[in-house]
């Protein structure tokens, strides 16, 4: 806002903090910089004239004191023949200025013995900021700084670090510079002062009511930075709507309660790291889902939750394999495209080379063009927490405005996703579980389960998204059945670790899957992801799955259409938690698995941040959500007269007459 490249750039502005000019010719720098005397070519001449007057003065002159325009000039002369002390012009002492003791001769006149203040600076001291005026903070001691909270001080906060232990940047409560200031500086300063007061109130309530470590307690500097961030976002909007935005934001913050404040802090800072610096992971409660039914009774109720064929088609499930003519058409289209695809993240066009480009071995033709994108989704919330409060839409990854915020993540390669059924079948043909057993799908009667919960993880390759991890657990017990890493058919462009949870080290350290279980890990136990075995291809992984999945096995999961597409399977007996707990706004909106687990199970999952998801954890969470739905369904059935006998569901007479 203020520049020092003007003839008056070194001079303190006469208006001080009352200046409302966006580009003032004078200086508005802090007092620590502006209070330093400025060297001038005239200083030497002035000092020479003063020295000449001192030499001309008579040594017999008495001490003289005179006041001129508020300045006191004191001349001290010793009673002996010693040289006279120089005359020093000083300011009249005030209540705010501390006296400076000086060495005086043994004999000094009474009028000259009064202590005086040091000479004033050429620039007046900068008045205290609004934060210093409104807060009663004690001086920092031992590296501590006061925490601003409704006029009180939390002396235990560390000013040198933020809520996560990172170094805090010192910043004054002064609106930041924006290309097009939406209003006068005085008005913007009033806005940040009001925002800071509300943030301090919420911070004080949070410090008094939250248990230790439950929510971060902000220091004074963090509150100032957060306030300036909020005002800057409003100031970067068109100036014509600034006043309206400020009014709505202040209203929302004034009505904000502790749950909304903690949610805002969580989006801004994320969960605090653990003692090893890793992202904190909330512990799941030890209490299991209680349905009031035995495992056999739950399995008896489960078929009533099967999705119909119409529902499967509506939710994007693949219900039929493409024909040979459709495959030939898709192959011609891929050849005609010459590898040109659209990036699934940044939407740019790029070229991909399956098998690598002969000239230089490159996988993509981006030639150093990085992929810049937001990995989070757009999320609309009401900061005030009230139904009719204004809403705001932000990215969940960086908490910035949607869709104008610049990309927050950079990747080395562009990637794409082939969603067309015909193109997916070119990489690996689909297989239907209801068809008779073939050479590639041996009979499954010996190993088939009544119900299984499944979750898959995918990565980006030169053929689109491919299977990279397959996890299957028994339902409703949650016992592990199969958990293996999968080597994709195409060259890997991006492992998508933030979501897949699979890193390059996991693939390189994994040992080959041993079917008879003689190896170090045969994929049938609760093992860590880094010790999982690996199978040679997605086709081999599907063959292992079909050893446990029969035509009548109920497959349980969340958004199973993606998992079945990754394994190239068509299965009819499906219970999907996304269908059982639909979004209140309907399609295309869906409730995420993490949200459903937190709401219905009280369980925090997918808390590893950049380390990614755990497919075993997700499969068990989806299975438990289905158990909750089974318990709800059984309560409805009991009201209609259904009863159990020997583990089987009996229809009441009326239900038998109606056919269900």
């Amino acid at each position: 806002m203020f520049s020092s490249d003007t003839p008056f750039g070194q001079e303190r502005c006469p208006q001080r903090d009352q200046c409302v000019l966006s580009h003032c010719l004078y200086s508005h720098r802090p007092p620590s910089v502006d209070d330093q005397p400025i060297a001038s070519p005239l200083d030497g001449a002035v000092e020479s004239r003063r020295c000449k007057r001192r030499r001309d003065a008579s040594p017999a002159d008495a001490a003289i004191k005179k006041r001129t325009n508020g300045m006191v000039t004191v001349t001290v002369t010793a009673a002996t023949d010693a040289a006279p002390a120089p005359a020093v012009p000083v300011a009249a002492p005030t209540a705010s200025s501390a006296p400076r003791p000086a060495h005086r001769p043994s004999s000094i006149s009474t009028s000259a013995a009064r202590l005086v203040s040091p000479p004033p600076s050429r620039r007046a001291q900068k008045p205290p900021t609004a934060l210093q005026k409104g807060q009663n903070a004690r001086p920092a001691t031992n590296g501590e700084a006061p925490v601003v909270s409704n006029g009180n001080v939390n002396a235990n906060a560390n000013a040198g670090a933020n809520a996560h232990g990172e170094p805090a940047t010192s910043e004054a409560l002064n609106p930041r510079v924006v290309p097009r200031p939406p209003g006068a500086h005085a008005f913007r300063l009033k806005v940040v002062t009001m925002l800071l007061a509300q943030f301090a109130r919420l911070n004080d309530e949070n410090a008094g009511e939250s248990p230790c470590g439950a929510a971060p307690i902000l220091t004074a500097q963090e509150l100032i930075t957060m306030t300036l961030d909020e005002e800057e976002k409003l100031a970067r909007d068109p100036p014509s709507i600034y006043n309206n935005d400020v009014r709505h934001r202040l209203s929302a913050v004034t009505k904000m309660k502790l749950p909304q404040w903690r949610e805002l802090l969580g989006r801004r800072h994320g969960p605090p790291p653990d003692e090893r610096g890793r992202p904190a992971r909330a512990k799941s409660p030890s209490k299991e889902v209680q349905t009031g039914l035995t495992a056999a009774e739950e399995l008896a109720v489960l078929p009533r939750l099967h999705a119909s064929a119409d529902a499967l088609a509506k939710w994007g499930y693949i219900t039929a394999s493409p024909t040979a003519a459709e495959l030939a058409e898709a192959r011609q289209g891929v050849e005609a495209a010459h590898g040109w695809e659209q990036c699934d993240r940044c939407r740019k066009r790029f070229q991909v080379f399956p098998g690598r480009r002969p000239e230089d071995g490159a996988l993509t033709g981006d030639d150093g063009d990085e992929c810049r994108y937001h990995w989070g989704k757009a999320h609309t919330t009401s900061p005030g927490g009230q139904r009719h409060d204004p809403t705001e839409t932000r990215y969940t990854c960086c908490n910035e405005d949607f869709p104008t915020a610049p990309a927050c993540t950079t990747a080395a390669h562009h990637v794409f996703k082939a969603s067309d059924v015909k193109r997916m079948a070119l990489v690996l043909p689909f297989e239907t579980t209801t068809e008779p057993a073939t050479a590639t799908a041996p009979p499954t009667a010996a190993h088939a389960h009544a119900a299984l919960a499944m979750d898959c993880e995918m990565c980006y390759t030169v053929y689109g998204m491919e299977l990279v991890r397959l996890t299957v657990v028994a339902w409703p017990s949650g016992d592990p059945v199969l958990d293996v890493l999968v080597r994709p058919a195409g060259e890997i462009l991006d492992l998508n670790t933030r979501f897949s949870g699979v890193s390059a080290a996991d693939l390189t350290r994994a040992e080959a899957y041993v079917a008879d279980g003689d190896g170090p890990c045969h994929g049938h136990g609760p093992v860590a992801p880094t010790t999982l075995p690996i199978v040679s291809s997605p086709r081999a992984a599907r063959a292992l799955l079909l050893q446990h999945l029969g035509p009548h096995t109920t497959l349980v999961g969340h958004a199973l259409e993606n998992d079945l597409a990754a394994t190239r399977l068509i299965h009819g007996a499906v219970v999907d938690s996304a269908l059982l707990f639909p979004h209140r706004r309907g399609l295309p909106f869906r409730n995420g698995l993490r949200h459903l687990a937190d709401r219905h199970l009280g369980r925090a999952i997918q808390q590893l941040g950049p380390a990614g998801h755990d497919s075993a954890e997700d499969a068990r969470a989806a299975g438990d959500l289905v158990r909750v739905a089974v318990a709800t369904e059984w309560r409805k059935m009991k009201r209609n007269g259904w009863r159990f006998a020997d583990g089987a569901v009996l229809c009441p007479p009326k239900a038998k007459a109606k056919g269900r």
Side-chain angles (χ1 to χ4, degrees):
M1 179 181 291
F2 306 110
S3 174
S4 60
D5 298 334
T6 65
F8 304 97
Q10 301 297 332
E11 293 295 332
R12 181 70 171 166
C13 180
Q15 297 295 329
R16 304 297 191 272
D17 283 347
Q18 306 302 322
C19 180
V20 296
L21 297 179
S22 59
H23 298 280
C24 184
L25 298 178
Y26 293 92
S27 173
H28 284 262
R29 290 181 296 176
S32 58
V33 177
D34 292 339
D35 284 353
Q36 300 297 329
I38 302 176
S40 173
L42 300 178
D43 290 346
V46 173
E47 185 65 24
S48 300
R49 290 195 294 271
R50 289 178 179 174
C51 294
K52 185 176 184 300
R53 286 196 295 269
R54 295 191 194 104
R55 289 195 301 267
D56 295 342
S58 172
D61 291 342
I64 302 174
K65 172 185 174 184
K66 57 184 177 180
R67 184 182 301 270
T68 305
N69 295 331
M71 301 296 296
V72 178
T73 303
V74 180
T75 305
V76 181
T77 305
T80 61
D81 294 337
V88 183
V90 294
T94 61
S96 60
S97 59
R100 177 181 297 178
H103 175 73
R104 296 186 297 274
S106 57
S107 178
I108 303 178
S109 61
T110 305
S111 61
R114 183 183 305 163
L115 294 177
V116 294
S117 299
S121 171
R122 294 189 178 186
R123 294 172 179 82
Q125 185 73 17
K126 184 178 180 179
T129 63
L131 178 63
Q132 295 168 340
K133 292 178 181 178
Q135 311 301 334
N136 183 19
R138 64 169 175 82
T141 58
N142 297 329
E144 296 180 351
V147 173
V148 181
S149 53
N150 224 12
N152 299 323
V153 178
N154 182 356
N156 296 328
N158 189 347
N162 59 16
H164 289 178
E166 301 171 353
T169 304
S170 178
E171 194 169 9
L173 188 66
N174 193 36
R176 293 172 180 159
V177 180
V178 294
R180 298 175 59 191
H185 178 269
F187 179 76
R188 294 183 62 194
L189 182 61
K190 183 178 179 180
V191 170
V192 297
T193 304
M194 297 173 67
L195 282 175
L196 180 62
Q198 295 301 323
F199 288 163
R201 171 186 63 83
L202 293 166
N203 191 59
D204 184 44
E205 295 176 3
N206 187 35
E209 297 186 15
S210 64
C212 180
I217 310 301
L218 303 186
T219 63
Q221 185 57 62
E222 288 178 311
L223 284 173
I224 292 176
T225 302
M226 184 176 181
T227 301
L228 297 181
D229 289 343
E230 291 289 330
E231 195 278 336
E232 183 182 4
K233 293 175 184 177
L234 300 176
R236 290 185 178 275
D237 289 336
S240 58
I241 64 174
Y242 175 74
N243 292 347
N244 196 35
D245 286 349
V246 165
R247 188 179 302 108
H248 286 304
R249 185 56 178 160
L250 286 175
S251 175
V253 173
T254 303
K255 299 176 184 177
M256 188 177 292
K257 305 299 181 183
L258 273 183
Q260 290 78 27
W261 170 253
R262 291 168 182 168
E263 180 183 357
L264 178 62
L265 293 181
R267 294 199 309 265
R268 181 178 177 86
H269 298 288
D274 60 10
E275 64 277 2
R276 297 184 181 181
R278 300 174 301 183
R281 183 177 184 178
K283 296 182 179 180
S284 301
S286 57
K287 183 179 179 181
E288 298 292 337
V289 177
Q290 299 294 335
T291 62
L293 303 174
T294 64
E297 292 171 344
E298 290 183 19
L299 288 171
V301 177
L302 184 63
R304 296 181 59 87
L305 302 180
H306 284 181
S308 64
D310 294 339
L312 294 179
K314 178 181 178 180
W315 285 76
Y317 279 80
I318 299 173
T319 57
S321 301
T323 63
E326 292 174 336
L327 291 177
E329 180 183 358
R331 187 174 292 106
Q332 293 177 359
V334 171
E335 294 174 355
H338 299 290
W340 283 97
E341 304 288 350
Q342 185 179 42
C343 182
D344 189 40
R345 299 186 293 204
C346 68
R347 316 311 298 174
K348 288 185 178 180
R349 299 281 296 176
F350 73 104
Q351 195 173 15
V352 63
F353 303 103
R356 298 187 180 274
R357 185 164 54 186
E359 294 82 4
D360 53 4
L363 293 175
T364 60
D366 43 33
D367 297 330
D369 181 20
E370 295 179 332
C371 179
R372 302 179 183 275
Y373 64 101
H374 290 278
W375 57 263
K377 298 180 180 179
H379 183 57
T380 302
T381 58
S382 177
Q386 303 297 325
R387 179 178 180 181
H388 299 291
D389 285 343
T391 59
E392 58 183 21
T393 304
R394 299 180 182 274
Y395 288 105
T396 57
C397 50
C398 58
N399 197 31
E400 295 294 338
D401 293 335
F402 171 86
T404 58
C408 63
T409 309
T410 302
H413 293 290
H414 295 289
V415 295
F416 75 100
K417 176 182 178 181
S419 301
D420 184 64
V421 180
K422 301 184 290 295
R423 286 201 58 182
M424 290 190 290
L426 292 178
V427 180
L428 178 63
F430 281 84
E431 188 161 342
T432 303
T433 58
T434 57
E435 294 177 353
T438 61
T440 57
T444 60
H447 304 285
H449 291 69
L452 294 172
M454 181 179 74
D455 187 71
C456 298
E457 305 294 349
M458 280 74 77
C459 67
Y460 289 103
T461 72
V462 293
Y463 296 135
M465 292 201 80
E466 290 195 62
L467 182 67
V468 74
R469 183 181 176 184
L470 172 64
T471 302
V472 180
V473 298
W475 191 92
S477 64
D479 296 332
V481 174
L482 179 67
D483 197 358
V484 293
L485 298 175
V486 182
R487 196 176 303 280
E491 294 86 351
I492 296 175
L493 296 178
D494 194 329
L495 280 171
N496 201 25
T497 303
R498 178 176 289 276
F499 297 100
S500 69
V502 179
S503 64
D506 296 335
L507 294 179
T508 55
R509 289 198 298 258
E511 299 188 16
Y513 174 84
V514 181
D516 57 4
D518 295 335
C521 173
H522 52 83
H524 291 274
V527 295
T530 53
T531 60
L532 289 178
I534 189 170
V535 295
S536 58
S537 66
R539 187 186 297 270
R542 184 177 64 183
L544 290 176
L545 174 60
L546 289 176
Q547 293 180 8
H548 307 278
L549 179 66
H552 303 290
T553 300
T554 299
L555 199 57
V556 174
H558 184 82
L560 276 174
E561 75 278 4
N562 298 317
D563 303 320
L564 291 175
T567 53
R568 303 299 195 269
L569 274 177
I570 299 175
H571 189 69
V574 170
V575 177
D576 194 334
S577 58
L579 279 70
L580 297 177
F581 303 94
H583 196 279
R584 60 184 178 85
R585 298 172 63 183
L587 288 174
F589 301 98
R590 300 189 184 194
N591 287 317
L593 180 61
R594 180 169 61 178
H595 168 72
L596 293 177
D598 178 67
R599 180 175 180 179
H600 298 282
L601 305 176
R603 184 181 308 173
I605 64 173
Q606 301 177 359
Q607 300 293 305
L608 295 180
H613 300 177
D614 182 1
S615 56
E617 178 186 58
D618 293 351
R620 292 185 175 92
D624 287 343
L625 286 171
V626 173
R627 294 185 65 201
V628 172
V630 165
T632 303
E633 179 67 19
W634 173 241
R635 286 194 293 269
K636 297 178 182 178
M637 295 173 64
K638 283 202 306 182
R639 288 195 296 266
N640 294 330
W642 294 74
R643 294 292 182 269
F644 281 112
D646 299 328
V649 179
L650 296 180
C651 291
K654 293 182 179 180
K656 284 183 178 179
K658 294 181 180 180
R660 186 181 174 183

